[in-house]
Amino acid sequence: MTVPAIRIHGVVKHYGTLKALGGVDLEVAQGEFFGLLGPNGAGKTTLISALSGLVRPDSGSIAVMGHDVVGDYRNARRNLGVVPQEYNFNQFEKCFDILTTQAGYYGIPLKLAKERAEQYLTQLGLWDKRNNASRELSGGMKRRLMIARAMMTRPR
């Protein structure tokens, strides 16, 4: 049996007296895409923050490709690609450079980073914008750039 890409079991998180997550269970199979939808205050950001290791759940467990996000956080994070809601790249940096810089944070050699940047910018219809500052992109293009950046590490 194949290990799930994401397995969340019984996750609870409090902020003081506020219960942000109340026993969340979620399983995402390898190869599936998913999105979290819900009203403000539903716990979407808290759950993604716990999944990516930014906050620690009070109880329950979270694994990415079988790696516990607390006990084996390095391997869990290597297998995870997150596209945040807000744009969080340098608006003055060139699109191509945003991708190669991201790869550098993960120790990907520059030659390989450039190959991947070309691949993802091409696949996402942004190759002709590679030398543009990201501030010059439309909102949809910025979103695609965020996706390309998340893919640079080839998350499983």
Side-chain angles (χ1 to χ4, degrees):
M1 184 168 127
T2 305
V3 65
I6 297 170
R7 177 176 281 150
I8 298 171
H9 179 72
V11 171
V12 174
K13 178 64 181 174
H14 292 89
Y15 294 105
T17 59
L18 173 72
K19 184 186 275 188
L21 301 173
V24 175
D25 293 310
L26 174 68
E27 193 167 294
V28 179
Q30 291 185 36
E32 287 185 341
F33 284 82
F34 80 100
L36 291 176
L37 302 175
N40 291 342
K44 302 177 298 292
T45 298
T46 299
L47 186 62
I48 293 296
S49 295
L51 176 66
S52 59
L54 297 175
V55 300
R56 207 173 259 205
D58 297 328
S59 61
S61 64
I62 304 174
V64 177
M65 298 301 292
H67 302 283
D68 183 81
V69 300
V70 175
D72 191 11
Y73 66 90
R74 288 180 198 256
N75 285 316
R77 288 182 189 160
R78 281 190 184 110
N79 286 286
L80 187 66
V82 176
V83 178
Q85 179 175 340
E86 302 294 331
Y87 306 123
N88 62 353
F89 45 69
N90 182 339
Q91 296 285 315
F92 298 96
E93 193 172 5
K94 292 178 183 178
C95 297
F96 192 86
D97 295 342
I98 288 170
L99 300 188
T100 57
T101 299
Q102 179 72 13
Y105 293 145
Y106 288 84
I108 297 169
L110 184 58
K111 182 177 187 255
L112 180 57
K114 288 179 177 182
E115 291 170 6
R116 288 183 185 179
E118 181 177 353
Q119 174 190 354
Y120 293 124
L121 289 172
T122 299
Q123 285 178 339
L124 293 166
L126 294 171
W127 182 246
D128 62 328
K129 303 290 186 184
R130 67 189 175 277
N131 292 317
N132 289 56
S134 63
R135 73 178 184 277
E136 298 171 15
L137 302 179
S138 70
M141 289 177 176
K142 288 178 184 176
R143 179 68 49 210
R144 285 185 274 153
L145 182 60
M146 297 277 287
I147 293 167
R149 188 179 65 175
M151 297 303 297
M152 289 297 290
T153 60
R154 297 256 166 101
R156 293 184 61 202

